[in-house]
Amino acid sequence: MVDLPPPRPALVQADCPEEARSLDRRVQCGFVRVPLNRSRPAGRSLRIYFERYPHHYRSRPRSATVVSIEGGPGYPTTDDRAARVAVWRPISGVRDLLLVDLRGTGRSGLLGCAAFARSTLRYARRAGRCATQVGPKRDFYSTSQSVQDIEDVLLELGAGRVDLYGDSYGTYAAQAFALRYPERMRSLVLDGTYPLPGTDPAWSDLLASIRRGLRLSCARHPGCPAEVRGVDPVSLVAQFAARVRARPIRGVAPDSNGTPIRVRLDEDALVWIASSTYYFPGVYRDLPAAIYAAQRGDTRPILRLAAETLTIDVGPSPSEALYLAVICHDYPQLWDSASPLEQRRAEARSRIAAYPAGTFSPFTPSAWTGTDYEGVFACVRWPGPARPDPPDPPGAAYPDVPTLVLNGDLDTITASSGAREVGNRFPRSTFVELRNSFHVTVLRDYDRCASRLYLRFVRSLDPGDTSCAQQVAEPHVVAAFPRSLGTTRAARPARGDHSQVRDRRLAAAAAAAVADVIARWWVNIDGTSLGLRGGRWSYEGNSPIVFHLNQVEFVPGVPVSGTVRWRPDQGTVMAQVRAREPSGTTGTLRMRWSLHAVHARASLTGQVGGRTLRATMLAP
């Protein structure tokens, strides 16, 4: 008789990363072994990585386990552990927190391919090569398999019922989990919600949300130049798109990290700018005034927006193979999955041509659907799945589980239209749309609304008073990009002011330079960058974030230097700066305003040329 080796244990403990231990010394880390292909459980396996943070009242039994799922697809949940632990802490008394890296991400058998090792240019072509390199196992990296992995981890840990939270693609996986394991659910929170199995494959719903966002952000801020002129901002963008389609604008401008790059601003680049609104509020802030500036011959502001948002080459990304494996398997496409690869583009173009006129306004259909990086045609060379494995199991009913659906009304990557649809599917759901909010509202909630609703809901299964969702302050919109101090709108004199009009123009120009630098923080990674017209700035810290300005020019010929302290959690901006007029007159200024107050006013005080300045203006 042959002695067989003992079966490998499904659950293996592991050392926790130092970052996890720094958040909670009691954290438990490990791997659960799962089949790669569940139809062959004795075949190849994967190790699914998890981190479990125990509840804090040790004398009391655990009431539930909070499971938090990252977006993407392609991003590991544990890479964002700090934000998820911070959200969990107020409800950690009797609830564990479980973070699981979905298969193919992070420490759960990272799925990569050589095609994206150095570049993402010509994305669809690289995707086809990536599919070949990954091979047939690509079919097993689907949402359905990932949520079954989560259940395997829960079973091994004896985790009991779950309070499930998902953000972005995590909402997609969370819906799939709730459909498959309704008995496991205590509550469900979806934040930045994408419906199963997906929405329009030409992304017309996302373009509709961009049109809505342009109009809402402009109408809600008194300084929006399109609103002041009585112009529809979507029409403004459409007219400008027609111009750059015929005559592209070329120039050099700093990217988000201050590196000067050559930019060709055509309609395709304008699509990229508009598509970046879900993560970069600076687009809503700058775009109308930047278009008006370009129409007057000042192309610097619009070229900078393009440099900050245009994907020239995002470089190596370990998530692309997993991203493609999921979206090409689960999401609807513009072609039949069984269609031969060589026929798909023609099939897609035929379907795009059948959309009603105006669907893709303010752009042409070819520009909107023709983006390269992770665009509409990303899966055109990726083979369809060999066997069906949909994220929503056939015949599954949406469970009668308490559900909270949260969405920002300026979210343009998971549109509120789709989030409402998801809310309508769950019998016991509450849909909350947060005014002036963007993609994913609970994590890093600087406005302190969505996170409070989340905590109240998990505790009581009722979000309670949701009126805070209508009280979030509007994004500030640039009124103009002045070409000189003389064309800068002066701040208004306040009580005790002894300044001249030119002094108050200097103060307004300095405040605009401060606000412009803060707006760039959202896309800056290096911690330093360039001013719009000149100078440099850097920042450090988290709360407050401290900016150091060195001769930064927002208005040409008006350098501004000094220190700015911004507390994102409180919304306060406080600055002490020195500004100089082209004539040489200098001002020492203190300024303060709030980014959390609706239609906030800025207070400006100091000395300019020996004269006392006391002034106010609409917060820039």
Side-chain angles (χ1 to χ4, degrees):
M1 182 175 181
V2 179
D3 291 331
L4 297 176
R8 291 180 294 181
L11 175 62
V12 179
Q13 299 293 330
D15 291 337
C16 294
E18 181 53 37
E19 183 185 353
R21 295 178 67 246
S22 70
L23 295 171
D24 191 325
R25 289 291 172 184
R26 299 177 303 133
V27 63
Q28 302 165 354
C29 304
F31 297 89
V32 170
R33 196 176 300 278
V34 302
L36 171 66
N37 177 2
R38 283 187 161 77
S39 66
R40 296 181 180 177
R44 183 178 172 183
S45 64
L46 292 172
R47 297 200 314 166
I48 303 301
Y49 176 71
F50 69 86
E51 293 176 4
R52 178 166 65 173
Y53 297 80
H55 63 283
H56 287 131
Y57 297 158
R58 301 186 189 184
S59 61
R60 297 173 59 183
R62 181 191 62 234
S63 66
T65 296
V66 173
V67 178
S68 190
I69 307 178
E70 176 65 273
Y75 295 96
T77 298
T78 58
D79 270 9
D80 208 15
R81 59 171 68 83
R84 296 173 194 280
V85 168
V87 169
W88 161 75
R89 286 197 194 282
I91 52 173
S92 62
V94 292
R95 291 176 181 84
D96 292 353
L97 170 66
L98 180 65
L99 306 180
V100 178
D101 285 349
L102 302 187
R103 62 168 57 195
T105 74
R107 298 179 71 182
S108 293
L110 181 67
L111 186 67
C113 60
F116 288 106
R118 293 183 178 85
S119 176
T120 57
L121 294 176
R122 300 179 181 85
Y123 189 88
R125 185 177 301 176
R126 290 183 187 276
R129 286 162 45 199
C130 181
T132 300
Q133 291 162 359
V134 173
K137 71 178 182 181
R138 60 183 174 261
D139 285 356
F140 305 125
Y141 288 85
S142 65
T143 303
S144 169
Q145 296 303 306
S146 289
V147 300
Q148 291 178 71
D149 295 342
I150 293 175
E151 174 64 10
D152 287 345
V153 174
L154 291 167
L155 285 169
E156 289 295 330
L157 296 177
R161 299 182 73 196
V162 301
D163 292 307
L164 184 59
Y165 168 85
D167 61 272
S168 195
Y169 165 74
T171 68
Y172 190 88
Q175 293 167 68
F177 184 94
L179 284 169
R180 188 175 288 271
Y181 304 108
E183 71 286 347
R184 178 73 76 175
M185 302 295 298
R186 177 182 175 271
S187 71
L188 174 64
V189 178
L190 306 174
D191 184 8
T193 308
Y194 187 56
L196 291 183
T199 55
D200 178 29
W203 300 351
S204 66
D205 55 325
L206 304 188
L207 187 48
S209 70
I210 291 174
R211 292 194 294 266
R212 183 188 186 213
L214 287 168
R215 289 176 173 133
L216 289 178
S217 62
C218 195
R220 290 171 177 172
H221 190 72
C224 179
E227 185 77 8
V228 170
R229 291 169 171 82
V231 174
D232 175 16
V234 176
S235 298
L236 177 67
V237 174
Q239 292 167 7
F240 190 67
R243 172 192 164 178
V244 297
R245 188 185 313 130
R247 299 184 307 279
I249 299 171
R250 292 176 172 84
V252 176
D255 68 9
S256 60
N257 293 312
T259 303
I261 63 172
R262 294 189 177 276
V263 176
R264 182 181 189 270
L265 178 63
D266 53 14
E267 186 184 18
D268 292 343
L270 195 59
V271 167
W272 271 112
I273 292 173
S275 300
S276 302
T277 48
Y278 77 95
Y279 70 87
F280 183 26
V283 174
Y284 287 133
R285 174 184 177 83
D286 286 11
L287 186 56
I291 290 175
Y292 283 122
Q295 290 173 344
R296 298 191 308 269
D298 177 16
T299 60
R300 180 73 169 183
I302 194 70
L303 288 175
R304 180 181 62 166
L305 263 186
E308 290 170 329
T309 57
L310 181 61
T311 301
I312 297 172
D313 188 358
V314 299
S317 173
S319 66
E320 295 302 332
L322 191 281
Y323 170 81
L324 287 160
V326 172
I327 72 161
C328 301
H329 185 285
D330 293 344
Y331 292 8
Q333 305 294 334
L334 283 164
W335 51 83
D336 190 288
S337 62
S339 296
L341 300 186
E342 61 273 12
Q343 294 181 15
R344 287 180 172 182
R345 283 192 180 273
E347 188 176 334
R349 290 187 178 116
S350 176
R351 292 188 181 181
I352 291 168
Y355 280 78
T359 297
F360 300 102
S361 173
F363 307 112
T364 58
S366 60
W368 175 251
T369 61
T371 55
D372 183 44
Y373 175 67
E374 295 185 353
V376 165
F377 285 90
C379 297
V380 73
R381 294 171 180 261
W382 191 278
R387 62 188 62 80
D389 185 20
D392 42 349
Y398 279 78
D400 188 25
V401 58
T403 301
L404 176 63
V405 180
L406 301 167
N407 233 72
D409 70 357
L410 298 180
D411 186 349
T412 57
I413 195 68
T414 53
S416 285
S417 56
R420 286 182 187 276
E421 180 183 338
V422 171
N424 290 334
R425 294 175 183 176
F426 284 92
R428 295 176 62 192
S429 72
T430 301
F431 173 74
V432 180
E433 185 177 52
L434 288 100
R435 184 180 176 91
N436 298 317
S437 299
F438 296 84
H439 186 53
V440 180
T441 60
V442 171
L443 303 179
R444 301 176 185 87
D445 177 20
Y446 298 137
D447 297 302
R448 296 183 177 180
C449 177
S451 57
R452 284 163 40 204
L453 299 180
Y454 166 78
L455 293 172
R456 202 154 56 209
F457 181 78
V458 173
R459 288 188 181 110
S460 67
L461 304 181
D462 185 343
D465 181 3
T466 63
S467 60
C468 67
Q470 297 304 308
Q471 298 166 7
V472 179
E474 80 283 0
H476 294 188
V477 178
V478 173
F481 288 98
R483 294 298 300 274
S484 67
L485 185 61
T487 58
T488 301
R489 184 174 182 178
R492 292 182 179 179
R495 189 172 185 177
D497 178 71
H498 298 287
S499 68
Q500 300 175 357
V501 172
R502 189 171 182 85
D503 302 338
R504 297 193 299 277
R505 285 183 174 141
L506 179 67
V514 168
D516 187 70
V517 166
I518 293 174
R520 271 49 238 174
W521 174 85
W522 292 97
V523 289
N524 180 268
I525 297 173
D526 290 353
T528 183
S529 191
L530 302 180
L532 174 63
R533 312 286 187 179
R536 297 198 67 88
W537 56 269
S538 61
Y539 72 89
E540 59 191 0
N542 294 307
S543 189
I545 300 170
V546 181
F547 296 87
H548 303 282
L549 279 60
N550 183 13
Q551 304 290 303
V552 168
E553 294 186 22
F554 180 81
V555 176
V558 183
V560 180
S561 299
T563 302
V564 181
R565 286 178 170 80
W566 170 41
R567 294 191 65 97
D569 55 337
Q570 298 176 2
T572 55
V573 174
M574 293 182 291
Q576 291 186 321
V577 300
R578 289 178 60 85
R580 187 179 70 247
E581 296 183 12
S583 65
T585 302
T586 61
T588 303
L589 302 165
R590 295 181 299 276
M591 49 191 70
R592 180 186 181 104
W593 65 83
S594 172
L595 295 176
H596 284 181
V598 176
H599 298 172
R601 304 287 298 178
S603 170
L604 314 175
T605 62
Q607 297 281 322
V608 179
R611 294 174 291 276
T612 298
L613 181 142
R614 299 275 190 276
T616 66
M617 62 184 289
L618 184 68

